[in-house]
Protein backbone atom coordinates (compact mmCIF):
# COMPACT_ATOMS: atom_id res chain seq x y z
CA UNK A 1 0.00 0.00 0.00
CA UNK A 2 1.34 3.44 -0.93
CA UNK A 3 1.71 6.12 1.72
CA UNK A 4 1.63 9.51 -0.01
CA UNK A 5 -0.35 12.71 0.39
CA UNK A 6 -2.60 14.00 -2.38
CA UNK A 7 0.27 16.29 -3.39
CA UNK A 8 2.51 13.25 -3.89
CA UNK A 9 4.60 13.78 -0.75
CA UNK A 10 5.89 10.44 0.53
CA UNK A 11 5.01 9.82 4.16
CA UNK A 12 7.77 8.28 6.28
CA UNK A 13 7.10 5.44 8.70
CA UNK A 14 8.17 7.62 11.61
CA UNK A 15 9.44 11.18 11.94
CA UNK A 16 12.37 12.43 13.97
CA UNK A 17 13.32 15.88 15.15
CA UNK A 18 14.08 18.72 12.73
CA UNK A 19 16.89 21.24 13.07
CA UNK A 20 14.73 24.38 12.78
CA UNK A 21 14.00 26.25 16.00
CA UNK A 22 10.38 27.45 16.00
CA UNK A 23 9.68 31.13 16.62
CA UNK A 24 6.83 32.19 18.90
CA UNK A 25 3.37 32.90 17.49
CA UNK A 26 2.96 36.52 16.42
CA UNK A 27 6.60 36.76 15.34
CA UNK A 28 8.09 36.71 11.83
CA UNK A 29 7.65 34.50 9.83
CA UNK A 30 4.47 33.58 11.75
CA UNK A 31 4.66 29.82 11.22
CA UNK A 32 2.85 29.23 14.51
CA UNK A 33 0.19 31.92 14.05
CA UNK A 34 -0.27 35.63 13.38
CA UNK A 35 -1.30 36.51 16.96
CA UNK A 36 0.61 35.68 20.17
CA UNK A 37 -2.43 34.21 21.95
CA UNK A 38 -4.48 33.14 18.91
CA UNK A 39 -7.86 31.68 19.99
CA UNK A 40 -7.19 32.25 23.68
CA UNK A 41 -8.06 35.90 23.02
CA UNK A 42 -10.76 35.45 20.35
CA UNK A 43 -11.97 32.47 18.38
CA UNK A 44 -12.13 32.63 14.61
CA UNK A 45 -15.06 34.33 12.88
CA UNK A 46 -17.73 31.69 12.23
CA UNK A 47 -19.25 32.35 8.84
CA UNK A 48 -21.83 30.43 6.85
CA UNK A 49 -21.70 31.14 3.12
CA UNK A 50 -25.29 31.87 2.10
CA UNK A 51 -27.23 33.53 -0.66
CA UNK A 52 -29.96 32.27 -2.94
CA UNK A 53 -33.10 33.32 -4.75
CA UNK A 54 -34.06 36.91 -3.98
CA UNK A 55 -32.65 39.43 -1.54
CA UNK A 56 -35.78 38.93 0.59
CA UNK A 57 -35.21 35.16 0.92
CA UNK A 58 -31.49 35.51 1.59
CA UNK A 59 -32.19 38.13 4.26
CA UNK A 60 -34.35 35.59 6.09
CA UNK A 61 -31.48 33.05 6.02
CA UNK A 62 -29.02 35.67 7.35
CA UNK A 63 -31.27 36.43 10.30
CA UNK A 64 -31.64 32.69 10.94
CA UNK A 65 -27.86 32.19 10.92
CA UNK A 66 -27.29 35.15 13.22
CA UNK A 67 -29.81 33.69 15.68
CA UNK A 68 -27.91 30.38 15.54
CA UNK A 69 -24.67 32.07 16.57
CA UNK A 70 -22.80 32.82 13.36
CA UNK A 71 -20.44 35.75 13.95
CA UNK A 72 -19.99 36.96 10.37
CA UNK A 73 -22.00 36.94 7.16
CA UNK A 74 -20.72 35.54 3.87
CA UNK A 75 -22.64 36.43 0.71
CA UNK A 76 -23.01 34.17 -2.32
CA UNK A 77 -24.11 35.90 -5.52
CA UNK A 78 -25.86 34.31 -8.47
CA UNK A 79 -24.06 33.77 -11.78
CA UNK A 80 -25.56 36.80 -13.65
CA UNK A 81 -24.46 39.08 -10.80
CA UNK A 82 -20.96 37.55 -10.91
CA UNK A 83 -20.51 38.21 -14.63
CA UNK A 84 -22.19 41.61 -14.84
CA UNK A 85 -25.69 40.97 -16.16
CA UNK A 86 -28.93 42.22 -14.67
CA UNK A 87 -31.70 39.68 -14.12
CA UNK A 88 -33.58 40.89 -17.21
CA UNK A 89 -30.67 40.19 -19.58
CA UNK A 90 -31.26 37.24 -21.98
CA UNK A 91 -28.05 35.60 -20.70
CA UNK A 92 -29.52 35.52 -17.19
CA UNK A 93 -32.38 33.20 -18.09
CA UNK A 94 -32.37 30.04 -16.01
CA UNK A 95 -29.64 31.32 -13.67
CA UNK A 96 -31.29 34.04 -11.58
CA UNK A 97 -30.94 33.25 -7.87
CA UNK A 98 -29.70 29.70 -8.48
CA UNK A 99 -26.18 29.60 -7.00
CA UNK A 100 -26.48 32.78 -4.99
CA UNK A 101 -28.60 35.85 -4.48
CA UNK A 102 -29.58 38.10 -7.38
CA UNK A 103 -28.38 41.69 -6.84
CA UNK A 104 -29.26 44.11 -9.62
CA UNK A 105 -29.16 47.43 -7.79
CA UNK A 106 -28.69 49.19 -4.46
CA UNK A 107 -32.38 48.50 -3.87
CA UNK A 108 -31.64 44.76 -3.70
CA UNK A 109 -28.70 45.40 -1.36
CA UNK A 110 -30.98 47.40 0.94
CA UNK A 111 -33.38 44.44 1.13
CA UNK A 112 -30.54 41.91 1.55
CA UNK A 113 -29.34 43.58 4.77
CA UNK A 114 -32.69 44.78 6.06
CA UNK A 115 -32.57 44.80 9.86
CA UNK A 116 -28.79 44.25 9.93
CA UNK A 117 -26.50 47.14 10.85
CA UNK A 118 -23.39 46.89 8.70
CA UNK A 119 -21.22 48.69 11.25
CA UNK A 120 -21.97 45.93 13.77
CA UNK A 121 -21.01 42.91 11.67
CA UNK A 122 -18.25 41.73 9.37
CA UNK A 123 -19.30 40.69 5.89
CA UNK A 124 -17.44 38.65 3.30
CA UNK A 125 -18.60 38.93 -0.31
CA UNK A 126 -17.56 36.23 -2.77
CA UNK A 127 -17.50 38.37 -5.89
CA UNK A 128 -14.71 39.06 -8.37
CA UNK A 129 -15.28 40.61 -11.80
CA UNK A 130 -18.02 42.89 -10.42
CA UNK A 131 -16.45 43.26 -6.96
CA UNK A 132 -16.01 47.02 -7.30
CA UNK A 133 -19.74 47.51 -7.97
CA UNK A 134 -20.94 45.24 -5.13
CA UNK A 135 -18.52 46.91 -2.73
CA UNK A 136 -19.82 50.30 -3.89
CA UNK A 137 -23.38 49.17 -3.13
CA UNK A 138 -22.30 47.99 0.33
CA UNK A 139 -20.65 51.38 0.98
CA UNK A 140 -23.72 53.23 -0.26
CA UNK A 141 -25.96 51.21 2.06
CA UNK A 142 -23.61 51.79 5.01
CA UNK A 143 -23.80 55.52 4.34
CA UNK A 144 -27.60 55.37 4.28
CA UNK A 145 -27.49 53.58 7.64
CA UNK A 146 -25.28 56.35 9.05
CA UNK A 147 -22.34 54.01 9.60
CA UNK A 148 -18.83 55.24 10.31
CA UNK A 149 -16.90 54.01 7.27
CA UNK A 150 -13.72 53.99 9.37
CA UNK A 151 -15.30 51.13 11.38
CA UNK A 152 -16.76 49.18 8.46
CA UNK A 153 -15.07 45.77 8.29
CA UNK A 154 -15.26 42.81 6.00
CA UNK A 155 -13.77 41.37 2.85
CA UNK A 156 -14.46 41.50 -0.86
CA UNK A 157 -12.93 38.57 -2.75
CA UNK A 158 -11.86 40.69 -5.74
CA UNK A 159 -9.41 38.00 -6.95
CA UNK A 160 -9.63 37.81 -10.73
CA UNK A 161 -6.47 35.86 -11.53
CA UNK A 162 -7.86 32.61 -10.15
CA UNK A 163 -10.95 33.16 -12.34
CA UNK A 164 -8.80 32.97 -15.48
CA UNK A 165 -6.93 29.98 -14.08
CA UNK A 166 -9.64 27.88 -12.49
CA UNK A 167 -13.18 29.20 -12.36
CA UNK A 168 -14.21 31.34 -15.33
CA UNK A 169 -16.35 34.22 -14.02
CA UNK A 170 -14.21 36.94 -15.58
CA UNK A 171 -15.45 39.77 -17.81
CA UNK A 172 -12.59 42.04 -18.85
CA UNK A 173 -9.06 41.26 -20.08
CA UNK A 174 -6.45 40.58 -17.35
CA UNK A 175 -4.71 43.98 -17.47
CA UNK A 176 -8.00 45.89 -17.19
CA UNK A 177 -9.12 43.61 -14.37
CA UNK A 178 -5.87 44.19 -12.49
CA UNK A 179 -6.37 47.93 -12.87
CA UNK A 180 -9.87 47.72 -11.31
CA UNK A 181 -8.47 45.69 -8.42
CA UNK A 182 -5.74 48.20 -7.66
CA UNK A 183 -8.32 51.00 -7.85
CA UNK A 184 -10.16 49.21 -5.03
CA UNK A 185 -6.90 48.93 -3.06
CA UNK A 186 -6.25 52.65 -3.43
CA UNK A 187 -9.80 53.74 -2.64
CA UNK A 188 -10.15 51.60 0.46
CA UNK A 189 -6.75 52.65 1.81
CA UNK A 190 -8.22 56.15 2.07
CA UNK A 191 -11.93 55.55 2.69
CA UNK A 192 -12.32 52.10 4.36
CA UNK A 193 -9.16 51.52 6.43
CA UNK A 194 -10.48 48.33 8.13
CA UNK A 195 -11.80 46.70 4.95
CA UNK A 196 -9.94 43.73 3.43
CA UNK A 197 -9.62 44.76 -0.20
CA UNK A 198 -8.96 41.30 -1.61
CA UNK A 199 -9.27 37.69 -0.58
CA UNK A 200 -6.61 35.98 -2.64
CA UNK A 201 -8.25 32.66 -3.25
CA UNK A 202 -6.80 29.20 -3.40
CA UNK A 203 -10.22 27.71 -2.72
CA UNK A 204 -11.36 27.63 -6.32
CA UNK A 205 -7.94 26.49 -7.53
CA UNK A 206 -8.31 23.47 -5.25
CA UNK A 207 -11.92 22.89 -6.31
CA UNK A 208 -10.72 22.78 -9.93
CA UNK A 209 -8.53 19.80 -9.05
CA UNK A 210 -5.19 21.12 -7.82
CA UNK A 211 -3.13 19.53 -5.08
CA UNK A 212 -2.55 21.23 -1.73
CA UNK A 213 0.94 22.27 -2.85
CA UNK A 214 -0.40 23.74 -6.10
CA UNK A 215 -3.18 25.55 -4.24
CA UNK A 216 -0.59 27.16 -1.99
CA UNK A 217 1.92 27.98 -4.72
CA UNK A 218 -0.54 29.40 -7.26
CA UNK A 219 -2.37 31.43 -4.62
CA UNK A 220 0.80 33.04 -3.26
CA UNK A 221 2.05 33.66 -6.81
CA UNK A 222 -1.22 35.48 -7.54
CA UNK A 223 -0.79 37.44 -4.32
CA UNK A 224 2.66 38.47 -5.45
CA UNK A 225 1.21 39.70 -8.75
CA UNK A 226 -1.38 41.85 -6.95
CA UNK A 227 1.28 43.37 -4.69
CA UNK A 228 3.53 44.23 -7.62
CA UNK A 229 0.60 45.77 -9.54
CA UNK A 230 -0.25 47.94 -6.54
CA UNK A 231 3.38 48.97 -6.12
CA UNK A 232 3.55 49.89 -9.81
CA UNK A 233 0.64 52.23 -9.13
CA UNK A 234 2.66 53.90 -6.37
CA UNK A 235 0.82 52.40 -3.41
CA UNK A 236 2.67 51.77 -0.14
CA UNK A 237 3.09 48.04 0.54
CA UNK A 238 2.98 48.62 4.29
CA UNK A 239 -0.41 50.35 3.95
CA UNK A 240 -2.33 48.19 1.46
CA UNK A 241 -0.46 45.06 2.60
CA UNK A 242 -2.31 45.13 5.93
CA UNK A 243 -5.64 44.78 4.12
CA UNK A 244 -4.75 41.75 2.00
CA UNK A 245 -6.35 38.49 3.05
CA UNK A 246 -6.38 34.95 1.72
CA UNK A 247 -8.97 32.23 1.21
CA UNK A 248 -7.94 28.59 1.39
CA UNK A 249 -9.62 25.22 1.00
CA UNK A 250 -9.52 22.45 3.59
CA UNK A 251 -9.58 18.89 2.28
CA UNK A 252 -9.47 15.49 3.96
CA UNK A 253 -5.72 14.82 4.28
CA UNK A 254 -5.66 16.29 7.76
CA UNK A 255 -1.94 16.61 8.42
CA UNK A 256 -1.08 17.92 4.95
CA UNK A 257 -3.76 20.59 5.33
CA UNK A 258 -2.43 21.74 8.72
CA UNK A 259 1.07 21.88 7.23
CA UNK A 260 -0.19 23.85 4.22
CA UNK A 261 -1.67 26.59 6.41
CA UNK A 262 1.50 26.85 8.50
CA UNK A 263 3.72 26.93 5.40
CA UNK A 264 1.50 29.60 3.81
CA UNK A 265 2.13 32.07 6.63
CA UNK A 266 5.86 31.47 6.56
CA UNK A 267 6.14 31.83 2.80
CA UNK A 268 4.01 34.96 2.54
CA UNK A 269 5.96 36.72 5.30
CA UNK A 270 9.19 36.06 3.42
CA UNK A 271 7.67 37.17 0.09
CA UNK A 272 6.34 40.43 1.52
CA UNK A 273 9.68 41.19 3.16
CA UNK A 274 11.45 40.53 -0.15
CA UNK A 275 9.03 42.91 -1.89
CA UNK A 276 9.94 45.73 0.50
CA UNK A 277 7.60 45.42 3.48
CA UNK A 278 9.04 46.54 6.81
CA UNK A 279 5.85 46.37 8.88
CA UNK A 280 5.17 42.97 10.52
CA UNK A 281 1.41 43.56 10.24
CA UNK A 282 1.73 43.84 6.45
CA UNK A 283 3.76 40.61 6.40
CA UNK A 284 1.09 38.58 8.20
CA UNK A 285 -0.96 36.16 6.14
CA UNK A 286 -4.53 36.27 7.47
CA UNK A 287 -6.92 33.79 5.92
CA UNK A 288 -10.46 32.48 5.70
CA UNK A 289 -11.04 28.77 5.18
CA UNK A 290 -13.91 26.88 3.62
CA UNK A 291 -14.24 23.13 3.86
CA UNK A 292 -13.88 21.30 0.55
CA UNK A 293 -17.00 21.35 -1.58
CA UNK A 294 -15.49 18.97 -4.12
CA UNK A 295 -14.85 16.38 -1.38
CA UNK A 296 -18.56 16.06 -0.59
CA UNK A 297 -20.39 13.06 -2.01
CA UNK A 298 -23.96 12.76 -3.21
CA UNK A 299 -23.93 9.09 -2.21
CA UNK A 300 -24.19 8.49 1.54
CA UNK A 301 -24.35 12.27 2.12
CA UNK A 302 -24.41 12.00 5.92
CA UNK A 303 -20.76 10.89 5.68
CA UNK A 304 -20.07 14.49 4.72
CA UNK A 305 -20.61 15.59 8.32
CA UNK A 306 -17.51 13.61 9.31
CA UNK A 307 -15.53 14.97 6.35
CA UNK A 308 -16.43 18.55 7.20
CA UNK A 309 -15.48 18.03 10.86
CA UNK A 310 -12.01 16.75 9.94
CA UNK A 311 -11.50 19.59 7.47
CA UNK A 312 -12.70 22.26 9.90
CA UNK A 313 -10.40 20.96 12.63
CA UNK A 314 -7.43 21.09 10.24
CA UNK A 315 -8.19 24.77 9.56
CA UNK A 316 -8.42 25.54 13.27
CA UNK A 317 -5.19 23.72 14.11
CA UNK A 318 -3.64 25.49 11.13
CA UNK A 319 -4.59 28.90 12.58
CA UNK A 320 -7.43 30.22 10.41
CA UNK A 321 -8.98 33.63 11.16
CA UNK A 322 -12.37 32.79 9.68
CA UNK A 323 -14.16 29.56 8.76
CA UNK A 324 -17.13 28.31 6.75
CA UNK A 325 -18.28 24.73 7.14
CA UNK A 326 -20.24 23.14 4.28
CA UNK A 327 -23.65 21.53 4.72
CA UNK A 328 -23.84 17.74 4.37
CA UNK A 329 -26.33 18.11 1.49
CA UNK A 330 -24.31 20.48 -0.71
CA UNK A 331 -23.38 17.76 -3.24
CA UNK A 332 -27.12 17.62 -3.97
CA UNK A 333 -28.42 21.18 -3.58
CA UNK A 334 -28.00 24.45 -1.76
CA UNK A 335 -27.97 23.68 1.99
CA UNK A 336 -31.21 23.45 3.90
CA UNK A 337 -31.53 25.31 7.20
CA UNK A 338 -31.02 22.00 9.03
CA UNK A 339 -27.78 21.26 7.16
CA UNK A 340 -26.52 24.82 7.71
CA UNK A 341 -27.26 24.56 11.44
CA UNK A 342 -25.30 21.29 11.78
CA UNK A 343 -22.40 22.84 9.85
CA UNK A 344 -22.33 25.82 12.21
CA UNK A 345 -22.68 23.59 15.29
CA UNK A 346 -19.60 21.68 14.06
CA UNK A 347 -17.55 24.88 14.38
CA UNK A 348 -19.04 25.68 17.77
CA UNK A 349 -18.25 22.21 19.13
CA UNK A 350 -14.65 22.51 17.94
CA UNK A 351 -14.39 25.97 19.51
CA UNK A 352 -15.95 25.24 22.88
CA UNK A 353 -15.68 21.49 23.49
CA UNK A 354 -12.58 20.11 21.76
CA UNK A 355 -9.82 21.96 23.61
CA UNK A 356 -8.30 23.04 20.30
CA UNK A 357 -8.44 26.70 21.32
CA UNK A 358 -6.66 26.30 24.66
CA UNK A 359 -3.11 26.55 23.35
CA UNK A 360 -1.44 28.16 20.35
CA UNK A 361 -0.39 25.87 17.47
CA UNK A 362 -1.23 22.60 19.28
CA UNK A 363 0.57 20.44 16.70
CA UNK A 364 3.66 22.66 16.53
CA UNK A 365 6.86 20.76 17.20
CA UNK A 366 5.37 17.41 16.21
CA UNK A 367 7.98 15.72 14.04
CA UNK A 368 5.46 14.80 11.36
CA UNK A 369 3.87 18.27 11.17
CA UNK A 370 7.18 20.12 11.09
CA UNK A 371 8.64 17.86 8.40
CA UNK A 372 5.43 18.10 6.36
CA UNK A 373 5.39 21.91 6.71
CA UNK A 374 8.96 22.07 5.39
CA UNK A 375 8.21 19.74 2.48
CA UNK A 376 5.03 21.54 1.43
CA UNK A 377 6.96 24.82 1.52
CA UNK A 378 9.86 23.40 -0.50
CA UNK A 379 7.60 22.09 -3.27
CA UNK A 380 5.54 25.28 -3.37
CA UNK A 381 8.69 27.40 -3.81
CA UNK A 382 9.62 25.27 -6.84
CA UNK A 383 6.32 26.17 -8.49
CA UNK A 384 6.70 29.86 -7.65
CA UNK A 385 10.20 29.87 -9.15
CA UNK A 386 8.77 28.38 -12.37
CA UNK A 387 6.04 31.03 -12.48
CA UNK A 388 8.59 33.80 -11.91
CA UNK A 389 10.67 32.48 -14.83
CA UNK A 390 7.59 32.63 -17.06
CA UNK A 391 7.04 36.26 -16.05
CA UNK A 392 4.63 36.04 -13.12
CA UNK A 393 1.07 34.82 -12.64
CA UNK A 394 -0.54 36.85 -15.42
CA UNK A 395 1.92 35.50 -17.99
CA UNK A 396 1.66 31.97 -16.56
CA UNK A 397 -2.13 32.10 -16.89
CA UNK A 398 -2.01 33.60 -20.39
CA UNK A 399 0.35 30.79 -21.45
CA UNK A 400 -1.86 28.13 -19.83
CA UNK A 401 0.83 26.86 -17.44
CA UNK A 402 -1.25 27.03 -14.27
CA UNK A 403 -4.37 25.64 -15.97
CA UNK A 404 -2.42 22.68 -17.38
CA UNK A 405 -0.83 21.85 -14.02
CA UNK A 406 -4.26 21.83 -12.34
CA UNK A 407 -5.75 19.68 -15.11
CA UNK A 408 -2.97 17.10 -14.80
CA UNK A 409 -3.36 16.95 -11.02
CA UNK A 410 -7.12 16.52 -11.34
CA UNK A 411 -6.69 13.70 -13.85
CA UNK A 412 -4.15 11.95 -11.62
CA UNK A 413 -6.44 12.15 -8.58
CA UNK A 414 -9.40 10.72 -10.50
CA UNK A 415 -7.23 7.91 -11.86
CA UNK A 416 -6.10 7.01 -8.34
CA UNK A 417 -9.75 6.89 -7.21
CA UNK A 418 -10.78 4.70 -10.15
CA UNK A 419 -7.87 2.32 -9.49
CA UNK A 420 -8.75 2.28 -5.77
CA UNK A 421 -5.33 3.58 -4.82
CA UNK A 422 -7.26 6.48 -3.25
CA UNK A 423 -10.23 5.38 -1.14
CA UNK A 424 -13.37 7.53 -0.96
CA UNK A 425 -15.74 5.98 1.57
CA UNK A 426 -19.11 5.25 0.01
CA UNK A 427 -17.79 5.79 -3.52
CA UNK A 428 -15.17 3.14 -4.25
CA UNK A 429 -15.33 1.28 -0.94
CA UNK A 430 -18.07 0.55 1.61
CA UNK A 431 -20.75 1.25 -0.98
CA UNK A 432 -24.43 0.60 -0.32
CA UNK A 433 -27.54 0.30 -2.45
CA UNK A 434 -29.49 2.72 -0.29
CA UNK A 435 -31.10 5.67 -2.04
CA UNK A 436 -30.71 9.17 -0.65
CA UNK A 437 -33.93 10.41 0.90
CA UNK A 438 -33.13 13.96 1.94
CA UNK A 439 -35.28 17.08 1.85
CA UNK A 440 -33.55 19.26 -0.75
CA UNK A 441 -33.54 23.02 -1.14
CA UNK A 442 -34.90 24.25 -4.48
CA UNK A 443 -35.04 27.72 -6.08
CA UNK A 444 -38.09 28.48 -8.21
CA UNK A 445 -37.44 29.74 -11.76
CA UNK A 446 -40.33 32.20 -11.36
CA UNK A 447 -38.22 34.53 -9.23
CA UNK A 448 -36.64 35.96 -12.39
CA UNK A 449 -39.89 37.64 -13.33
CA UNK A 450 -40.07 39.22 -9.89
CA UNK A 451 -36.56 40.62 -10.36
CA UNK A 452 -37.48 41.96 -13.81
CA UNK A 453 -40.57 43.65 -12.36
CA UNK A 454 -38.41 45.26 -9.65
CA UNK A 455 -35.96 46.52 -12.27
CA UNK A 456 -38.70 48.01 -14.43
CA UNK A 457 -40.23 49.69 -11.40
CA UNK A 458 -36.85 51.07 -10.30
CA UNK A 459 -36.11 52.53 -13.73
CA UNK A 460 -39.51 54.24 -13.80
CA UNK A 461 -38.76 56.00 -10.49
CA UNK A 462 -35.08 56.97 -10.68
CA UNK A 463 -33.56 59.98 -12.48
CA UNK A 464 -32.57 58.24 -15.72
CA UNK A 465 -30.85 61.31 -17.17
CA UNK A 466 -28.61 61.53 -14.12
CA UNK A 467 -27.86 57.80 -14.32
CA UNK A 468 -26.71 58.17 -17.94
CA UNK A 469 -24.52 61.12 -16.96
CA UNK A 470 -22.91 59.08 -14.17
CA UNK A 471 -22.36 56.08 -16.45
CA UNK A 472 -20.58 58.48 -18.81
CA UNK A 473 -18.30 59.53 -15.94
CA UNK A 474 -17.40 55.88 -15.35
CA UNK A 475 -16.47 55.45 -19.02
CA UNK A 476 -14.37 58.61 -18.92
CA UNK A 477 -12.54 57.52 -15.75
CA UNK A 478 -11.87 54.10 -17.28
CA UNK A 479 -10.41 55.72 -20.40
CA UNK A 480 -8.26 58.21 -18.49
CA UNK A 481 -6.85 55.88 -15.79
CA UNK A 482 -8.63 57.80 -13.00
CA UNK A 483 -9.75 55.79 -9.98
CA UNK A 484 -13.09 54.22 -10.81
CA UNK A 485 -14.44 53.70 -7.31
CA UNK A 486 -15.75 57.21 -6.50
CA UNK A 487 -17.66 57.22 -9.78
CA UNK A 488 -19.09 53.73 -9.25
CA UNK A 489 -20.19 54.65 -5.71
CA UNK A 490 -21.94 57.78 -7.01
CA UNK A 491 -23.65 55.78 -9.77
CA UNK A 492 -25.02 53.07 -7.45
CA UNK A 493 -26.18 55.70 -4.96
CA UNK A 494 -28.38 56.99 -7.75
CA UNK A 495 -29.56 53.44 -8.56
CA UNK A 496 -27.57 52.66 -11.67
CA UNK A 497 -27.75 48.88 -12.02
CA UNK A 498 -24.92 46.40 -11.86
CA UNK A 499 -25.44 45.43 -15.49
CA UNK A 500 -25.37 49.06 -16.65
CA UNK A 501 -22.08 49.68 -14.84
CA UNK A 502 -20.56 46.47 -16.23
CA UNK A 503 -21.65 47.48 -19.73
CA UNK A 504 -20.06 50.92 -19.29
CA UNK A 505 -16.75 49.23 -18.46
CA UNK A 506 -17.18 46.69 -21.27
CA UNK A 507 -17.46 49.57 -23.72
CA UNK A 508 -13.96 50.73 -22.70
CA UNK A 509 -12.14 47.52 -21.73
CA UNK A 510 -13.85 44.96 -23.96
CA UNK A 511 -14.41 41.35 -22.93
CA UNK A 512 -11.89 38.56 -22.49
CA UNK A 513 -12.21 35.23 -24.27
CA UNK A 514 -9.73 32.42 -23.66
Amino acid sequence: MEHITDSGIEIARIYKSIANELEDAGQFPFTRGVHPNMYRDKVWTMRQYAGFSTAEESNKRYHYLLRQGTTGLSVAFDLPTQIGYDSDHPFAEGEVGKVGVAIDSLEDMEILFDGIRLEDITTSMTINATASTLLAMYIALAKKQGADLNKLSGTVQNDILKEYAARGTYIYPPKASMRIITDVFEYCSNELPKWNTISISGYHIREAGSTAVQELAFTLANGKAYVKAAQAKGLDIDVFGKRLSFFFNAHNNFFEEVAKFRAARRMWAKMMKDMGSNDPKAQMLRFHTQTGGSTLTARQPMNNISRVTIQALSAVLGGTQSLHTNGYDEALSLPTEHAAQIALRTQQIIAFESGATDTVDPLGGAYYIENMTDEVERLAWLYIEQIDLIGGSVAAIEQGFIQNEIAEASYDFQKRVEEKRKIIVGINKYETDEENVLPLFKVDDSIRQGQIDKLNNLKSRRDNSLVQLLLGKIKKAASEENNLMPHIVEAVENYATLGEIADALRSVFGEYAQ
Side-chain angles (χ1 to χ4, degrees):
M1 183 177 177
E2 62 183 3
H3 297 280
I4 60 171
T5 72
D6 293 336
S7 294
I9 297 171
E10 187 173 349
I11 301 170
R13 182 188 66 81
I14 193 167
Y15 285 86
K16 298 182 179 179
S17 178
I18 58 169
N20 298 340
E21 182 67 29
L22 291 174
E23 78 289 342
D24 197 354
Q27 294 180 6
F28 182 92
F30 312 105
T31 309
R32 309 200 69 182
V34 291
H35 302 301
N37 292 325
M38 289 299 288
Y39 306 133
R40 282 187 164 203
D41 288 342
K42 180 179 181 291
V43 300
W44 62 92
T45 301
M46 297 183 191
R47 300 188 188 278
Q48 285 306 118
Y49 186 47
F52 55 85
S53 186
T54 61
E56 291 88 347
E57 290 302 312
S58 292
N59 176 261
K60 291 176 186 175
R61 177 64 67 90
Y62 294 157
H63 280 284
Y64 171 80
L65 290 171
L66 289 168
R67 288 195 303 272
Q68 298 304 313
T70 191
T71 54
L73 297 177
S74 187
V75 185
F77 297 95
D78 73 357
L79 190 57
T81 302
Q82 292 181 52
I83 55 177
Y85 293 116
D86 290 334
S87 297
D88 60 357
H89 194 284
F91 289 171
E93 187 172 356
E95 294 292 346
V96 175
K98 289 297 178 67
V99 299
V101 62
I103 300 293
D104 295 321
S105 73
L106 175 58
E107 192 170 74
D108 286 323
M109 191 70 85
E110 291 165 352
I111 297 166
L112 184 67
F113 290 102
D114 184 39
I116 300 170
R117 281 199 51 80
L118 302 188
E119 190 177 308
D120 297 336
I121 61 164
T122 173
T123 302
S124 174
M125 294 190 284
T126 303
I127 194 73
N128 297 286
T130 54
S132 56
T133 302
L134 271 300
L135 176 58
M137 290 181 185
Y138 195 86
I139 293 167
L141 176 57
K143 286 181 177 180
K144 290 188 75 171
Q145 291 184 351
D148 181 352
L149 297 187
N150 288 311
K151 296 179 181 177
L152 205 65
S153 65
T155 304
V156 64
Q157 190 161 101
N158 201 27
D159 173 9
I160 204 66
L161 290 179
K162 63 94 173 54
E163 297 296 327
Y164 300 114
R167 192 160 174 264
T169 63
Y170 47 77
I171 303 174
Y172 318 109
K175 288 181 181 176
S177 295
M178 292 291 280
R179 177 265 174 94
I180 297 170
I181 287 167
T182 54
D183 278 1
V184 172
F185 287 3
E186 182 179 48
Y187 179 85
C188 291
S189 292
N190 297 320
E191 303 294 332
L192 273 76
K194 291 183 69 176
W195 191 266
N196 296 326
T197 53
I198 193 168
S199 180
I200 305 160
S201 176
Y203 183 86
H204 305 94
I205 291 170
R206 192 68 175 280
E207 291 294 284
S210 81
T211 67
V213 166
Q214 289 173 337
E215 176 194 359
L216 175 58
F218 299 157
T219 304
L220 296 189
N222 288 349
K224 184 176 182 179
Y226 292 126
V227 169
K228 287 189 171 296
Q231 287 178 311
K233 197 166 185 170
L235 303 184
D236 185 342
I237 189 171
D238 283 330
V239 175
F240 74 80
K242 296 174 186 175
R243 302 311 335 151
L244 304 178
S245 66
F246 288 79
F247 175 19
F248 287 115
N249 210 317
H251 275 214
N252 292 327
N253 195 313
F254 180 82
F255 297 103
E256 184 179 44
E257 293 301 302
V258 174
K260 178 188 73 181
F261 299 132
R262 299 172 87 250
R265 277 192 295 272
R266 194 156 73 196
M267 293 176 71
W268 185 246
K270 293 173 183 174
M271 291 171 77
M272 287 294 278
K273 196 166 188 177
D274 287 346
M275 287 186 285
S277 171
N278 294 308
D279 189 328
K281 288 189 176 179
Q283 298 163 358
M284 293 177 179
L285 182 145
R286 297 165 299 112
F287 68 100
H288 169 71
T289 310
Q290 181 172 338
T291 56
S294 63
T295 69
L296 305 180
T297 61
R299 279 184 269 171
Q300 300 182 34
M302 300 306 287
N303 292 346
N304 295 328
I305 297 174
S306 298
R307 292 186 176 102
V308 167
T309 303
I310 291 167
Q311 294 164 7
L313 185 58
S314 77
V316 170
L317 295 180
T320 194
Q321 277 62 66
S322 171
L323 178 61
H324 162 87
T325 34
N326 288 333
Y328 61 80
D329 54 0
E330 288 189 50
L332 297 161
S333 70
L334 291 170
T336 60
E337 283 192 353
H338 180 254
Q341 183 190 61
I342 289 177
L344 178 59
R345 292 289 183 261
T346 299
Q347 294 198 49
Q348 292 164 337
I349 289 167
I350 291 171
F352 302 112
E353 297 185 29
S354 73
T357 61
D358 290 338
T359 188
V360 177
D361 190 25
L363 296 181
Y367 296 160
Y368 184 23
I369 286 294
E370 297 303 341
N371 277 275
M372 184 64 71
T373 301
D374 288 348
E375 186 65 2
V376 167
E377 179 180 5
R378 183 184 71 81
L379 294 173
W381 281 125
L382 292 176
Y383 266 118
I384 291 172
E385 288 165 9
Q386 284 181 277
I387 290 168
D388 285 345
L389 287 173
I390 293 169
S393 278
V394 175
I397 289 166
E398 289 175 338
Q399 293 180 31
F401 171 76
I402 291 176
Q403 298 93 313
N404 291 338
E405 290 294 311
I406 294 170
E408 287 182 18
S410 179
Y411 173 78
D412 181 64
F413 180 86
Q414 186 59 34
K415 188 176 178 183
R416 289 177 63 211
V417 171
E418 290 172 1
E419 294 173 354
K420 295 193 176 183
R421 292 184 290 130
K422 174 71 178 178
I423 299 301
I424 308 294
V425 174
I427 300 299
N428 61 0
K429 195 168 186 176
Y430 309 115
E431 301 163 74
T432 67
D433 295 327
E434 297 173 15
E435 291 188 15
N436 301 321
V437 184
L438 289 177
L440 300 180
F441 188 90
K442 295 188 183 300
V443 176
D444 195 326
D445 282 333
S446 65
I447 65 159
R448 182 176 183 236
Q449 188 56 52
Q451 284 296 114
I452 291 172
D453 292 343
K454 274 201 293 186
L455 276 167
N456 290 337
N457 184 272
L458 173 70
K459 290 176 181 178
S460 71
R461 290 183 283 109
R462 71 183 186 182
D463 186 337
N464 287 298
S465 297
L466 177 58
V467 167
Q468 291 306 312
L469 176 67
L470 296 175
L471 292 172
K473 285 186 176 181
I474 290 173
K475 293 179 187 177
K476 188 170 187 291
S479 301
E480 296 179 352
E481 297 290 322
N482 294 326
N483 193 298
L484 288 162
M485 281 302 295
H487 304 288
I488 296 174
V489 171
E490 187 179 13
V492 301
E493 285 177 328
N494 288 280
Y495 295 93
T497 69
L498 175 132
E500 289 171 332
I501 292 168
D503 283 344
L505 295 174
R506 282 185 181 99
S507 71
V508 178
F509 298 140
E511 292 187 86
Y512 182 67
Q514 284 188 327

